[in-house]
Amino acid sequence: MHRLLVLVLALALPLCCVTAPAPPAAPAGTSAAGSAGRLRFSVTLAREIAPAPTAGRLLVFLSDAAEDRVVLGSGIIPGKTWVAAAEIARIAPGETVELDPDRLAYPRPFSQARPGSYLLMALLDTDHNYAYHSADGADVRSPVVRRFLDPMHTKPVELTLTRHAAAPEALADTDTVKRVELESPLLSTFWGRPIVMRAGVVLPAGYDSEPTRRYPAVYNIHGFGTDHSMAWRHGYLNMLGLGVGDADHPMVQVFLDGSCAGGHHEFADSVNNGPWGRALVEELIPFLEQRFRLLAQPDARFLTGHSSGGWSSLWLQVTHPDFFGGTWSTAPDPVDFRSFMGVNVTPGSTENLYRRADGTPRNLVRMGGHGLATFEQFARHERVLGEYGGQLASFEWVFSPRGPAGGPLELFDRQTGELHPEVARAWQRYDIRRLLEDSWATLGPQLRGKLHIVTGAADTFHLDEPTALLCDFLRRVGSDATCELIPGRDHMDLYVAHPPEYPNGLGARITQEMYARFSAHQAAAPGASAGQQPSGKRPPIRGRSR
């Protein structure tokens, strides 16, 4: 699911943009349709910012926040923010395009805003990844300006795109963090063009001083909205307690890149995204094992991840049970489709994603016992930001069949919330609980000691509900999996110390448990000590680490 508002993995869309009270509706008697002078935006691309014509999705943000000093953060103006969008096929330097903020807008057409003082900003999403990454260095935007607007009676508001959005930090090699890129034959064949897999590799203390020592690896998978750049964020690494620089638990930490044009590919083989799971296991991991002196054996390959990374790590362990030595998956995306964040999307279900049977709206985002966004609000906001790349669309890029237009079929009607039964049936192959249940006679023995799942009992996105269903199944079949719901914890604070389950933080507990499992296997197999070469030879794999 989404990256966190704070440093702990999760929310991609700032809460203010989907939950804060909207500016009041216009007084009764006014009409948005057909009013002379109804609000329009004239947006100009400055000549000095773009040397050639460009294209993209034009977004205009409107906020009645009181403060003039606005921190743009992800590109959304904080406060009670509205957003309107339009696709721009071509805009040349110095050219002006007009945007009608009533055609595609959230939470309502701009003409329904009350007259008043507003903060405004325009942004051209030139690479169509705003719904996933928010603003990045490829996008161009206007300054944030304040204007008094009467949305029903105004001249076109002029905004000029004069600056690039903040570029992401350069991912350069350091003494302990190495950038890796590998062109994938499997993915390149699928897409018909070169596809590069990326990772950030964090080396343990003493790596260079012991050139013959081989190490276990921890494969970390991020949540929605970020990528492998987490390897360079040392404050983040320390917060998660992943053993970086920890002499007591020397492991190589590999931060994988789960981002793609469709959103987060979750390292699942998909008819829309391609064979990301196979590419990881057959191409990238063998290359990393050669390049970084990793032990090429199952009991030295561990998985972990939070949110979308939690689902990815669990999926990889279940679908490659003999390749990995264990997963520690936290707050995973829905692992039982009888509760897809509160909605039953299994075959035969007639539930509506927007409303319960009694007609009340379904909550999707909550915190501290308070509802922050409904399923419908979340879906409508995402659709304005982009046709693909958002969280809900990302699930469809992984789980859905391909549609006649070339993209994935939608699970539900974005206008009504009605479930599409044929798509729901196709999704079942990615229902982890169903997969386990159908194949438990085979998978049960293969997964002994390897499943560790932790979710907050008050998860922000209702992910505790599918986790609870999976936990019930695992208990019913007598699995030795650890499957925990932590009282009082949500998606954001799950890793914070919680006595007695993890008094030093969840990350520290995960690191200790991983290394204990590795050490136990090494002790049981003296010929496979960390200082020896793994048995067997692999052919060289071409790639680059920089």
Side-chain angles (χ1 to χ4, degrees), residues 113-248:
R114 176 175 293 179
S117 178
Y118 292 94
L119 295 170
L120 302 167
M121 188 188 79
L123 182 143
L124 184 64
D125 177 18
T126 58
D127 47 9
H128 286 91
N129 68 358
Y130 188 91
Y132 185 87
H133 278 298
S134 301
D136 60 24
D139 300 334
V140 290
R141 65 176 182 86
S142 73
V144 177
V145 298
R146 181 174 290 280
R147 297 282 188 273
F148 182 88
L149 300 179
D150 180 347
M152 293 301 297
H153 304 284
T154 186
K155 295 180 180 179
V157 177
E158 297 179 355
L159 298 171
T160 303
L161 304 170
T162 60
R163 62 190 71 178
H164 283 285
E169 295 182 13
L171 303 181
D173 279 2
T174 70
D175 290 343
T176 58
V177 186
K178 306 301 179 183
R179 177 182 173 185
V180 174
E181 296 181 350
L182 175 70
E183 187 174 312
S184 164
L186 283 168
L187 291 166
S188 299
T189 298
F190 177 89
W191 284 101
R193 56 183 172 84
I195 299 295
V196 174
M197 304 183 77
R198 298 178 174 86
V201 178
V202 184
L203 304 175
Y207 179 87
D208 289 332
S209 62
E210 299 181 81
T212 62
R213 182 171 183 175
R214 303 182 76 84
Y215 293 87
V218 180
Y219 294 96
N220 300 271
I221 308 175
H222 56 81
F224 184 92
T226 185
D227 51 33
H228 60 303
S229 62
M230 307 305 284
W232 282 261
R233 302 179 188 178
H234 293 293
Y236 172 85
L237 304 180
N238 293 334
M239 180 191 68
L240 293 185
L242 292 177
V244 178
D246 182 352
D248 293 331

Side-chain angles (χ1 to χ4, degrees), residues 45 52-58 86-92 95 97-98 124-126 128:
L45 179 64
T54 187
R57 193 175 189 88
L58 181 62
E87 281 296 324
I88 306 300
R90 183 183 186 278
I91 181 171
E95 188 176 357
V97 295
E98 187 173 272
L124 184 64
D125 177 18
T126 58
H128 286 91

Side-chain angles (χ1 to χ4, degrees), residues 25-42:
T30 62
S31 171
S35 298
R38 180 165 57 84
L39 181 61
R40 295 289 194 278
F41 290 92
S42 294

Side-chain angles (χ1 to χ4, degrees), residues 305-493:
H306 186 80
S307 197
S308 291
W311 190 96
S312 304
S313 55
L314 186 58
W315 175 259
L316 286 168
Q317 183 64 74
V318 169
T319 55
H320 301 276
D322 293 329
F323 187 82
F324 295 104
T327 184
W328 281 255
S329 306
T330 66
D333 286 349
V335 293
D336 189 321
F337 289 169
R338 291 175 295 176
S339 178
F340 179 69
M341 295 172 293
V343 188
N344 185 345
V345 298
T346 58
S349 172
T350 59
E351 291 191 6
N352 186 286
L353 277 80
Y354 289 168
R355 298 192 175 274
R356 301 184 183 90
D358 62 4
T360 57
R362 288 189 187 275
N363 173 264
L364 179 61
V365 186
R366 62 185 178 178
M367 191 172 291
H370 301 289
L372 300 176
T374 67
F375 219 118
E376 182 173 9
Q377 288 174 317
F378 197 94
R380 291 186 182 277
H381 180 260
E382 177 176 299
R383 181 51 58 92
V384 175
L385 294 182
E387 297 298 322
Y388 55 88
Q391 177 67 86
L392 298 176
S394 179
F395 287 132
E396 291 164 338
W397 276 82
V398 178
F399 304 148
S400 290
R402 183 177 296 172
L409 293 174
E410 293 184 340
L411 175 68
F412 62 99
D413 188 294
R414 293 304 198 265
Q415 292 299 316
T416 67
E418 181 181 355
L419 186 67
H420 294 153
E422 70 283 1
V423 180
R425 281 193 293 272
W427 274 37
Q428 302 315 301
R429 62 173 295 208
Y430 296 99
D431 184 329
I432 291 178
R433 187 272 314 163
R434 184 186 182 109
L435 173 61
L436 287 170
E437 189 163 8
D438 289 347
S439 304
W440 188 250
T442 301
L443 286 176
Q446 293 175 305
L447 294 172
R448 190 169 293 121
K450 295 183 178 182
L451 299 183
H452 311 269
I453 305 156
V454 184
T455 301
D459 186 85
T460 308
F461 305 100
H462 298 268
L463 297 173
D464 53 302
E465 298 170 25
T467 297
L469 292 171
L470 177 60
C471 291
D472 288 343
F473 163 75
L474 292 170
R475 282 192 290 268
R476 178 161 48 86
V477 296
S479 170
D480 65 353
T482 58
C483 195
E484 303 169 75
L485 292 169
I486 306 302
R489 292 304 170 93
D490 57 33
H491 210 71
M492 317 302 186
D493 62 4

Side-chain angles (χ1 to χ4, degrees), residues 49-131:
I49 199 68
T54 187
R57 193 175 189 88
L58 181 62
L59 304 173
V60 172
F61 304 102
L62 175 148
S63 170
D64 67 351
E67 294 184 8
D68 287 326
R69 184 177 180 275
V70 176
V71 178
L72 292 177
S74 66
I76 299 283
I77 301 172
K80 294 173 286 187
T81 302
W82 293 20
V83 58
E87 281 296 324
I88 306 300
R90 183 183 186 278
I91 181 171
E95 188 176 357
T96 298
V97 295
E98 187 173 272
L99 182 142
D100 179 353
D102 279 9
R103 291 192 63 185
L104 181 60
Y106 176 86
R108 294 196 295 275
F110 280 22
S111 62
Q112 295 181 19
R114 176 175 293 179
S117 178
Y118 292 94
L119 295 170
L120 302 167
M121 188 188 79
L123 182 143
L124 184 64
D125 177 18
T126 58
D127 47 9
H128 286 91
N129 68 358
Y130 188 91

